[in-house]
Amino acid sequence: MEKQLVRIKVNSEYYELYIKPKKLLVEVLRDELGLTGTKRGCNTGACCACTVLLDGIAVKSCSVLAVQADGSEITTVEGLADRANLAPLQRSFLDHGAYQCGFCTSGMLMSATALLSEKLSPTKEDIRESIHGNLCRCTGYNSIIRAIAAVAEGKYKEQK
Amino acid sequence: MGYKCPVCEKTWLDTMELARHMFGTGDQAHKDWVNSKGLNFVELLLIQTMEPGNKGYKTLAELLEKEAEKVD
Amino acid sequence: MIRNFEYLRADTIKDTLNLLEEHKEDCKIICGGQSLLILMRQGLVAPKNLIDIKRLKELNYINFDKKGGLRIGTTTTHREIEKSSLIKDHYPVLVDMEKNLASVQTRNWGTIGGNLAHGDPAGDPGPVLISLNGAVKIANKERERNIPLEEFFVDYFETVLEEAELLLEVQVPVIPPRTAVAYEKFNIIKNDQGIVSVAVSITTDDDGVRCKEARIVLGAAASTPVRAKGAEQMLIGKKPDARILDKISDKASEEADPVDDIHATEEYRRRLVKALTKKLVKKAWEQARKSP
Amino acid sequence: MKKYKVINTHIHNIDGIAKVTGRAKYTFDITLPQMLHGKILRSPYPHAKILTIDTSRAEALAGVKAVVTGKDTLGIKQGIWRRYKELCDEEILARSKVRYIGEPVAAVAAVDEDTAEEAMDLIEVEYKALPGVFEPLEAIKEGAPQLHEHAERNINVTRHIEWGDVDEAFKKADFIREDWFRCSSQAHVCMETHCAVASYTPEGKLTVWTSTQSHYYIQVLLAGILGLRENDVRVISRYTGGGFGSKFELDSAQFCSSLLSMKLSKPVKIVLSREEEFMATKRRTPMFYYVRSGVRKDGTFLAKEARAFTEGGAYTAMGATALYLTGFFQAFPYVWPNYRYDGYRVYTNAAPTSAMRGFGAPQAAFCSETQIDLIADELGINPIEIRRKNAMYPGYEVPGQATIQSCGLTQCLDKVEKWIKKRGKLPPHRGIGIAAYGFMSGGIFNWFDTPYAFSSAVIKINIDGKVDLYVGSQDMGQGSNTTLAMICAEELGVRVEDICLHMGDTETCPVDLGAWGSRETLMQGNAVKMAAAEAKQQLIEFAAAKLAPNIVYDLDIKDCWVHLIARPERGISYFDIVKEAIRGREGQPILARGHYTPHRKGMISPAYSFGVQAVEAKVCPDTGKITLVNCVTAHDCGQVINPLGVQGQLEGAIAMAAGYGFTEDLPMDEGKILNPNLVDYKILRATEMPETNVVEVETYEPEGPFGAKEAGEGLTNPTAGALGNAVYHATGLSIKDLPITSEKVLQALQEKKAKKSKIS
């Protein structure tokens, strides 16, 4: 089996990689690009800790072959902040203590980012629904829901 | 005033406490001592849960009343 | 651990059918791969060649016309179906079904074709599409054939798809007048796979006093989605009052052939089939009477 | 002027930015140059003799660097209850016998994970299967298969707690009730699975990065089993992706990666798969409970007798502690004048059971709180009332066990009663159930046999006023780093941003026993406070010379301002004093130490948290499905240090404990766990979480730093019981067998219907 050329744009950087087709997107992000902010929590596509944005939509990077992402634009948690300026969701997560061990946080932030890009004013139910797949064993979710709601309500404007 | 554990020599206020210590520790040495006195360590433990009234521990406490060295 | 494989990307239907013909049993189709990649990771599936049709634009469409009804291309994602205004207007039950099918992430990348071809008896689209009298278009290099979804599923994770065949599209006829369709699955965790699911489609007679047509389809209640035909028969020509509802739902739970597993005993699954059937027949009936 | 400047204020978790930007490096993220990847081969048998292991084919595979088996170990049986030799019963890499499915028998290091996994299939192990035993009540029977030579009838540990005269008291009781309960197991499911990167260098030093709750325990246990000197083993653990009790014992990833690295002098990384995590790490202890209670007509508790048979699994682990604590907390948080407990931990051929958040107390609370509601009902007393009547109070002494100093239980009952009244009349098929609870703030008994203080802290103040705080505690997500920084800042009179906290490294941090048993706030907190007080004292000595107070006690530091307490405007900047003090002592930075070990504080803990929780649930009469609607908790954790942290602990505990109550379980067949993955193991998702409200009841705990107590595990205790009681009040059915699944509920509902129709 020969390696394939994969061209991807990750957090606005372009990459050309030769990789085995069996490599999962999450493996390439973590092992080839060193973007370890994206985590893995299971082997069955059931925890969504590996959620990234692929051309703007939330996907499980453990359930996408890297070769399938060829030509796409990917955003990981490392791409959320603008240099030292944290994104509104990141600031809201801090204010609401919407994380504890932090291992699911990247995935949560990416799911929430996708939601807010799709819906301007999501309901509490929309928010619960949007992170339904993201497993968290620490927080009991409610602080995360409050954090996302606060951003949706416009409490955190982009800092420029 | 107390009772010395015949195995590890720790002192306890009364024989019930001492019995508790011996069962709680439950290592071979303590088992052997109880068995050497004609009782069955494990049987006593099981009697304790199978029959009401603290029987297992009382039986050992009674034995210790006779056997254990008293200290003041 | 995923075994190595040759990766073959197909950009047209023609390429795909040629590749399938060329590799036959030595290949697998991947589209969203939401089920396949898990099986491959567990070593349960290890194809020599993997044909990727994720970018097969030709098969990514949702069309509707008043005569032919609905056509959904196989590479259309669950999320695309959920968000389609066409489907929202003409088949709202499909939108509800898709919304609860799985996590957003899975729905974003997983496709309708992949879901059906996986042949999971607990899958959501199967029962609903059967209750809608849907069909699938299948092709290999030589010929095309259409199969009613009712005949598509053969056994646990087994469909009529043969070697070198590709599922091209899902077809759903126009919903007849005075008809309503309802679907629900029972689970403890929302959007989980159903422990059982039931889809009901009811058409009333012209003056809306009796049931003219009925389809009751059970999911996760046998080795494939199954119609509770006995229960359907008891319903046709009748008005589902409390007494009839009891008899119908009893019958449906008799007709189910569920498994015993860690999530539920066979007995409990039958009870759930009964509860859901009762609820959904009632719901569909009331909606059907209201609908034009 | 507000009493506190830092404590009980809303501040960000000090690790927050690293976590929300994805920069926090967990062991799972660590890669070292030349690093190899390891995998562990595990037993497919619940009970078997190992006849032969042939590793030659695996060793021959290209890319495989080493294979180790029990033969490569010193054959030491280790255990965390070091004080009792017979309780050290686990080899980790089995040499001659395996006792559970998933027990390690060999480990491989290879150039990548795939190669290591391939090598697994090439290791040939010849087993002789032995009959297994899986139920504790079976395992104690005469003639049952015996797991360990030293454990006749498979009895591993027994505990007896007794006070008063139980038998006499029962004679006086107006009403006696006895019930059997079954408490199920539960998996910790830390998001980061157990993992370790071990690097052994020719200097004879071993460095291990690992995901743990106690780097000190791992250092000591690793040194012991590998025959190394304690301080030649360095354990580093900066970020830990969850612990919940599963990560303070030595695990197979840590041991096998170390063994392989010592053989190769190269770094080796082992990450357990989610499936291994389920099958071969420890889990919550299943318990069979017999509870008999005698009360007066008016609901006054007289006597209680409890017997627990706990499923130990194959090894002791922390099971001995769970066995004692469940017995102690069975009588909590009430005044039972007469109490007797007999606890038996029995070996079975399954994954060992051990510590898990709540540590035996959630099981006890489920049985106790369920039975109390049944008794209240039969006596026609309101559930709040019967609890209020028998509630513990400040100054109460649990005979021979513990002295309760602060206790806000009654206030908690009042608050919850108010909330319930506000809910008014509930719609049909709904019920509110309550449960009272309490928990320890760190354990007292030194079963690990450490010669060190239980907690220590070191402070170094630098020329710019920045405070280096070195703690031995472990932040696994519960937020101890932030809490400790707050305690330090408050005591020293500086801001949290002036503190630079160092943790998770045995080479630079003083010893602390780690994050378990809700220790950190009280024990590590006291050590930090002591160190901060000493550092402050040193600064004040210098300030005294300048400010010439009447006596030195007149000086204090607040908001980085060293001042006369009587005349706060008269003072000097903390930063100036630091500069002068350092100059003044020949350029030596300010150094201070603090430590804490509980003395003469009873058998269990120096302090106890208290609380009452009410759960409102909806039960579907057609399917038995339970839906959580609302959950309010009145909680006494003494003086709240970090409110955001307490709320997080509370809501997280509800999710985990509600899961224990009705969705989570580990069904087994002959010792094989049937749902070792996150698809089939049902954890609550965001869509299942009820509204959560917390009412803080503040008390002052004299033994705690600034009056603080635990706020972590105790919150896991009430939910299953409260949920069960909610179902009881919604349906009239009391399910005594966890988890309370929709199937059990529907089954019971139909039986009830059947009975009714017979009668009528």
Side-chain angles (χ1 to χ4, degrees):
Chain A
M1 149 273 350
E2 72 201 48
K3 290 190 169 180
Q4 305 267 331
L5 173 64
V6 174
R7 294 193 181 79
I8 43 173
K9 184 180 176 191
V10 183
N11 303 334
S12 62
E13 295 288 329
Y14 290 89
Y15 298 89
E16 285 197 353
L17 308 158
Y18 279 91
I19 51 176
K20 289 185 179 175
K22 73 169 184 176
K23 284 287 167 204
L24 301 167
L25 179 56
V26 65
E27 293 167 336
V28 170
L29 293 171
R30 288 178 53 84
D31 307 341
E32 311 282 327
L33 308 185
L35 295 169
T36 55
T38 302
K39 307 299 186 208
R40 291 183 80 169
C42 73
N43 202 32
T44 48
C47 78
C48 293
C50 63
T51 302
V52 299
L53 301 189
L54 193 154
D55 294 331
I57 62 167
V59 300
K60 292 174 282 175
S61 58
C62 78
S63 302
V64 176
L65 291 171
V67 285
Q68 293 188 291
D70 184 21
S72 331
E73 175 165 5
I74 287 146
T75 310
T76 70
V77 67
E78 291 91 344
L80 287 181
D82 168 17
R83 295 182 304 276
N85 299 332
L86 300 190
L89 274 166
Q90 291 172 308
R91 284 182 281 131
S92 184
F93 268 50
L94 288 172
D95 287 347
H96 293 84
Y99 53 83
Q100 281 175 38
C101 85
F103 207 80
C104 75
T105 308
S106 310
M108 287 287 180
L109 284 163
M110 300 321 288
S111 297
T113 305
L115 170 74
L116 296 182
S117 70
E118 286 173 22
K119 279 205 168 85
L120 286 171
S121 47
T123 64
K124 267 248 155 85
E125 275 325 297
D126 294 332
I127 295 172
R128 287 179 186 277
E129 162 66 18
S130 72
I131 57 166
H132 156 86
N134 295 78
L135 197 64
C136 172
R137 195 59 158 166
C138 297
T139 63
Y141 306 102
N142 287 358
S143 54
I144 297 170
I145 294 162
R146 288 191 293 270
I148 299 170
V151 176
E153 289 153 16
K155 295 210 178 87
Y156 293 83
K157 295 267 167 274
E158 288 286 354
Q159 287 175 336
K160 274 284 158 277
Chain B
M1 174 63 205
Y3 295 82
K4 237 189 197 164
C5 170
V7 179
C8 59
E9 310 228 307
K10 275 200 194 128
T11 310
W12 300 88
L13 271 176
D14 57 48
T15 50
M16 198 59 183
E17 284 294 330
L18 176 48
R20 229 168 255 144
H21 149 76
M22 295 191 78
F23 280 124
T25 310
D27 62 7
Q28 207 51 50
H30 289 78
K31 278 183 195 163
D32 291 344
W33 185 87
V34 174
N35 297 341
S36 73
K37 299 293 170 187
L39 295 172
N40 181 321
F41 187 90
V42 175
E43 281 309 325
L44 285 180
L45 278 178
L46 296 174
I47 287 166
Q48 173 72 13
T49 58
M50 299 314 171
E51 296 175 31
N54 226 8
K55 212 160 167 194
Y57 280 74
K58 277 185 184 155
T59 316
L60 180 56
E62 282 155 18
L63 172 75
L64 290 165
E65 199 64 56
K66 296 198 234 74
E67 297 280 342
E69 179 191 340
K70 296 176 186 54
V71 289
D72 336 82
Chain C
M1 166 185 69
I2 298 181
R3 301 269 162 203
N4 286 317
F5 53 80
E6 285 300 329
Y7 175 76
L8 309 160
R9 183 184 298 159
D11 296 322
T12 65
I13 299 174
K14 199 157 162 302
D15 295 353
T16 317
L17 295 176
N18 288 333
L19 286 167
L20 280 165
E21 191 55 39
E22 183 185 340
H23 298 290
K24 294 230 167 50
E25 78 272 23
D26 293 341
C27 69
K28 268 262 170 205
I29 296 269
I30 186 170
C31 195
Q34 299 299 286
S35 308
L36 181 65
L37 284 175
I38 294 166
L39 298 175
M40 287 174 72
R41 254 183 261 167
Q42 293 166 343
L44 298 172
V45 179
K48 280 208 188 71
N49 304 278
L50 200 63
I51 304 169
D52 181 7
I53 60 166
K54 183 68 180 166
R55 291 145 187 267
L56 229 175
K57 291 275 166 288
E58 271 179 281
L59 289 178
N60 184 343
Y61 55 83
I62 297 173
N63 304 328
F64 176 80
D65 69 76
K66 294 238 165 2
K67 268 203 228 53
L70 179 69
R71 290 179 171 348
I72 307 174
T74 200
T75 66
T76 310
T77 67
H78 296 292
R79 208 74 197 294
E80 286 164 339
I81 295 171
E82 173 188 331
K83 293 184 156 195
S84 150
S85 54
L86 267 179
I87 292 177
K88 186 161 159 294
D89 296 344
H90 300 283
Y91 304 88
V93 65
L94 286 178
V95 175
D96 301 343
M97 178 275 287
E98 289 289 4
K99 272 200 175 123
N100 299 305
L101 179 130
S103 68
V104 179
Q105 288 91 331
T106 302
R107 279 140 53 202
N108 274 338
W109 198 248
T111 60
I112 184 73
N115 182 295
L116 293 169
H118 183 48
D120 185 337
D124 293 280
V128 185
L129 291 168
I130 292 171
S131 73
L132 287 165
N133 199 8
V136 286
K137 192 206 285 177
I138 298 171
N140 65 16
K141 199 156 177 254
E142 270 62 46
R143 53 171 171 72
E144 266 184 24
R145 55 179 183 143
N146 288 18
I147 302 268
L149 263 156
E150 199 180 332
E151 294 158 28
F152 178 74
F153 301 99
V154 177
D155 203 340
Y156 292 102
F157 304 98
E158 193 186 329
T159 68
V160 297
L161 280 170
E162 287 164 14
E163 209 170 274
E165 274 192 325
L166 176 66
L167 196 164
L168 294 179
E169 83 177 7
V170 176
Q171 307 165 333
V172 189
V174 176
I175 297 182
R178 293 182 316 284
T179 302
V181 189
Y183 174 71
E184 192 176 310
K185 65 176 161 185
F186 179 85
N187 49 21
I188 301 301
I189 308 291
K190 191 173 179 291
N191 296 14
D192 250 9
Q193 249 193 358
I195 291 172
V196 298
S197 65
V198 176
V200 175
S201 145
I202 287 180
T203 309
T204 72
D205 57 14
D206 302 2
D207 31 30
V209 285
R210 286 194 168 58
C211 169
K212 190 166 129 218
E213 297 278 340
R215 279 177 169 241
I216 300 174
V217 191
L218 316 179
S223 61
T224 68
V226 288
R227 280 179 67 179
K229 293 197 167 141
E232 292 172 1
Q233 283 314 314
M234 299 170 102
L235 185 52
I236 290 166
K238 302 221 183 48
K239 172 177 184 304
D241 56 30
R243 196 181 52 82
I244 299 279
L245 274 176
D246 265 324
K247 289 174 65 184
I248 294 167
S249 48
D250 280 331
K251 185 68 185 167
S253 78
E254 278 169 39
E255 288 179 277
D257 178 18
V259 290
D260 231 316
D261 66 18
I262 55 171
H263 302 303
T265 60
E266 179 191 340
E267 175 55 23
Y268 185 52
R269 281 199 165 87
R270 289 189 189 277
R271 285 177 172 165
L272 291 172
V273 168
K274 182 171 156 51
L276 283 187
T277 307
K278 202 182 231 175
K279 179 176 176 188
L280 293 169
V281 168
K282 199 158 177 292
K283 185 177 171 196
W285 168 256
E286 276 153 14
Q287 283 175 0
R289 295 181 62 190
K290 286 195 213 85
S291 59
Chain D
M1 188 169 110
K2 239 174 97 273
K3 190 161 161 222
Y4 295 124
K5 293 290 181 178
V6 181
I7 278 173
N8 205 7
T9 60
H10 183 287
I11 74 154
H12 290 171
N13 184 300
I14 63 174
D15 296 331
I17 292 177
K19 286 176 178 177
V20 299
T21 53
R23 279 163 36 255
K25 277 245 179 291
Y26 299 76
T27 305
F28 179 66
D29 303 325
I30 286 171
T31 311
L32 300 179
Q34 300 280 299
M35 186 176 83
L36 302 168
H37 296 266
K39 290 261 177 232
I40 299 168
L41 181 69
R42 299 172 179 278
S43 165
Y45 293 96
H47 200 189
K49 272 207 169 60
I50 300 172
L51 300 178
T52 61
I53 306 181
D54 179 356
T55 59
S56 53
R57 284 179 59 221
E59 282 155 341
L61 180 69
V64 170
K65 300 297 179 185
V67 182
V68 292
T69 69
K71 287 199 175 58
D72 302 277
T73 69
L74 299 176
I76 293 171
K77 288 191 171 180
Q78 65 88 40
I80 195 163
W81 265 62
R82 295 197 310 164
R83 195 178 248 244
Y84 297 85
K85 201 179 160 305
E86 282 186 359
L87 299 186
C88 299
D89 52 10
E90 190 175 5
E91 289 174 330
I92 300 187
L93 258 182
R95 285 179 305 159
S96 56
K97 194 179 176 192
V98 287
R99 297 179 177 88
Y100 71 94
I101 293 173
E103 181 158 8
V105 292
V108 174
V111 289
D112 57 39
E113 274 186 275
D114 286 357
T115 313
E117 209 166 314
E118 257 183 273
M120 293 285 104
D121 305 337
L122 301 176
I123 300 173
E124 285 151 21
V125 187
E126 200 187 332
Y127 296 97
K128 181 180 181 299
L130 300 168
V133 62
F134 308 102
E135 290 294 337
L137 294 169
E138 288 303 310
I140 51 171
K141 285 191 183 148
E142 188 102 54
Q146 189 169 325
L147 276 78
H148 297 268
E149 270 161 26
H150 68 269
E152 205 183 333
R153 306 280 285 266
N154 295 307
I155 293 172
N156 165 223
V157 193
T158 69
R159 285 289 176 264
H160 184 78
I161 303 173
E162 186 174 18
W163 62 75
D165 188 333
V166 176
D167 305 303
E168 271 311 305
F170 268 112
K171 292 183 192 146
K172 297 198 191 73
D174 301 314
F175 178 76
I176 294 176
R177 185 180 172 96
E178 45 181 31
D179 297 284
W180 273 96
F181 298 90
R182 183 187 158 276
C183 303
S184 44
S185 192
Q186 185 178 25
H188 303 83
V189 193
C190 307
M191 286 303 290
E192 183 188 31
T193 59
H194 288 67
C195 53
V197 179
S199 177
Y200 183 81
T201 52
E203 294 88 347
K205 293 200 180 296
L206 175 69
T207 305
V208 179
W209 288 259
T210 189
S211 185
T212 182
Q213 296 172 236
S214 172
H215 43 74
Y216 167 68
Y217 284 162
I218 303 308
Q219 174 191 39
V220 174
L221 294 171
L222 261 182
I225 194 170
L226 294 167
L228 296 172
R229 191 170 160 176
E230 239 166 68
N231 286 280
D232 284 343
V233 178
R234 177 185 184 186
V235 177
I236 303 174
S237 175
R238 180 61 184 90
Y239 294 98
T240 291
F244 312 114
S246 71
K247 291 180 180 168
F248 61 98
E249 297 161 51
L250 186 59
D251 66 53
S252 56
Q254 293 155 347
F255 179 53
C256 294
S257 60
S258 301
L259 210 55
L260 287 161
S261 182
M262 285 174 77
K263 194 161 178 175
L264 296 163
S265 284
K266 275 194 177 173
V268 177
K269 181 177 191 173
I270 295 182
V271 177
L272 295 201
S273 72
R274 182 55 66 184
E275 190 182 17
E276 285 176 292
E277 190 81 359
F278 271 105
M279 296 187 14
T281 64
K282 315 237 172 356
R283 56 196 175 101
R284 191 185 288 286
T285 311
M287 298 183 179
F288 292 84
Y289 244 117
Y290 165 83
V291 186
R292 179 163 174 258
S293 298
V295 304
R296 288 192 202 284
K297 274 198 242 57
D298 67 357
T300 310
F301 294 170
L302 278 182
K304 184 179 209 176
E305 182 180 18
R307 293 176 202 150
F309 296 88
T310 77
E311 181 188 329
Y315 299 103
T316 303
M318 281 299 291
T321 315
L323 188 70
Y324 195 98
L325 291 180
T326 195
F328 176 74
F329 285 107
Q330 178 62 243
F332 222 75
Y334 304 106
V335 174
W336 285 97
N338 307 281
Y339 177 63
R340 179 191 302 144
Y341 164 76
D342 284 290
Y344 289 70
R345 188 174 189 275
V346 185
Y347 285 124
T348 55
N349 289 109
T353 62
S354 189
M356 181 171 177
R357 197 176 189 181
F359 226 151
Q363 295 94 314
F366 171 70
C367 308
S368 167
E369 294 298 314
T370 303
Q371 194 181 52
I372 287 172
D373 264 30
L374 292 169
I375 291 170
D377 229 24
E378 289 179 78
L379 297 175
I381 303 173
N382 156 310
I384 294 270
E385 206 39 57
I386 195 168
R387 288 172 171 85
R388 190 182 278 125
K389 196 182 230 4
N390 299 285
M392 282 183 174
Y393 48 83
Y396 171 68
E397 194 174 323
V398 188
Q401 300 286 320
T403 307
I404 307 301
Q405 299 200 68
S406 63
C407 172
L409 183 53
T410 308
Q411 298 92 300
C412 292
L413 282 161
D414 298 344
K415 303 261 195 215
V416 168
E417 187 175 35
K418 266 207 204 70
W419 181 83
I420 294 174
K421 289 219 171 87
K422 262 217 237 82
R423 297 294 293 167
K425 187 166 177 353
L426 299 175
H429 313 303
R430 280 220 194 170
I432 294 178
I434 62 162
Y437 64 94
F439 201 63
M440 61 188 201
S441 310
I444 281 177
F445 182 47
N446 188 10
W447 42 264
F448 190 73
D449 210 11
T450 181
Y452 289 107
F454 278 22
S455 287
S456 333
V458 174
I459 281 175
K460 171 163 146 277
I461 305 181
N462 306 291
I463 196 73
D464 60 353
K466 196 89 177 166
V467 180
D468 284 310
L469 169 62
Y470 297 85
V471 294
S473 54
Q474 185 65 48
D475 194 320
M476 53 181 164
Q478 86 279 33
S480 54
N481 286 355
T482 307
T483 301
L484 297 168
M486 290 172 89
I487 289 172
C488 182
E490 184 70 53
E491 180 65 26
L492 197 51
V494 298
R495 304 155 305 181
V496 170
E497 54 265 43
D498 297 316
I499 311 288
C500 176
L501 182 136
H502 306 267
M503 52 75 72
D505 187 343
T506 54
E507 193 165 276
T508 53
C509 299
V511 169
D512 171 88
L513 300 186
W516 60 273
S518 293
R519 299 181 61 257
E520 305 293 27
T521 298
L522 188 138
M523 296 198 180
Q524 180 73 81
N526 276 332
V528 167
K529 189 167 184 286
M530 182 184 186
E534 191 196 314
K536 178 160 140 184
Q537 195 49 43
Q538 293 178 35
L539 292 176
I540 283 176
E541 283 165 18
F542 278 85
K546 296 206 156 276
L547 297 167
N550 180 9
I551 45 172
V552 71
Y553 305 112
D554 294 348
L555 292 179
D556 193 11
I557 311 179
K558 275 198 188 317
D559 289 335
C560 302
W561 179 249
V562 191
H563 59 278
L564 289 158
I565 293 163
R567 300 176 54 194
E569 74 285 358
R570 261 194 64 194
I572 314 167
S573 145
Y574 155 83
F575 297 97
D576 297 341
I577 282 295
V578 166
K579 287 198 192 71
E580 298 200 12
I582 290 176
R583 282 185 190 287
R585 28 165 78 188
E586 301 173 353
Q588 296 304 302
I590 310 293
L591 279 176
R593 301 191 304 171
H595 60 87
Y596 177 83
T597 307
H599 293 299
R600 294 182 298 284
K601 294 283 182 290
M603 308 275 290
I604 315 291
S605 175
Y608 301 85
S609 68
F610 291 89
V612 179
Q613 187 168 80
V615 168
E616 180 177 343
K618 199 165 71 192
V619 180
C620 169
D622 306 320
T623 62
K625 180 169 176 167
I626 297 169
T627 310
L628 302 180
V629 180
N630 217 319
C631 181
V632 65
T633 314
H635 182 56
D636 157 28
C637 60
Q639 165 66 54
V640 172
I641 304 280
N642 177 9
L644 204 54
V646 172
Q647 184 181 26
Q649 283 296 306
L650 179 83
E651 290 175 337
I654 288 168
M656 181 177 270
Y660 185 55
F662 80 117
T663 66
E664 297 181 36
D665 198 4
L666 289 168
M668 292 198 200
D669 176 25
E670 303 266 288
K672 186 175 182 31
I673 291 170
L674 299 174
N675 56 342
N677 61 69
L678 292 175
V679 174
D680 296 315
Y681 187 87
K682 303 296 184 188
I683 288 172
L684 296 204
R685 304 284 180 146
T687 39
E688 280 66 48
M689 267 305 277
E691 289 300 315
T692 48
N693 309 292
V694 57
V695 192
E696 284 303 337
V697 168
E698 277 202 6
T699 61
Y700 182 89
E701 171 53 49
E703 187 65 16
F706 299 102
K709 302 187 280 191
E710 83 88 26
E713 287 178 270
L715 297 159
T716 330
N717 301 352
T719 314
L723 175 59
N725 287 339
V727 172
Y728 174 57
H729 295 300
T731 63
L733 301 164
S734 177
I735 310 258
K736 298 172 196 163
D737 170 13
L738 285 172
I740 302 169
T741 61
S742 54
E743 177 161 7
K744 286 176 194 167
V745 173
L746 188 65
Q747 182 65 33
L749 279 169
Q750 305 222 336
E751 280 160 12
K752 190 173 152 208
K753 235 199 242 140
K755 270 208 206 83
K756 263 222 198 87
S757 55
K758 256 200 215 93
I759 297 157
S760 54

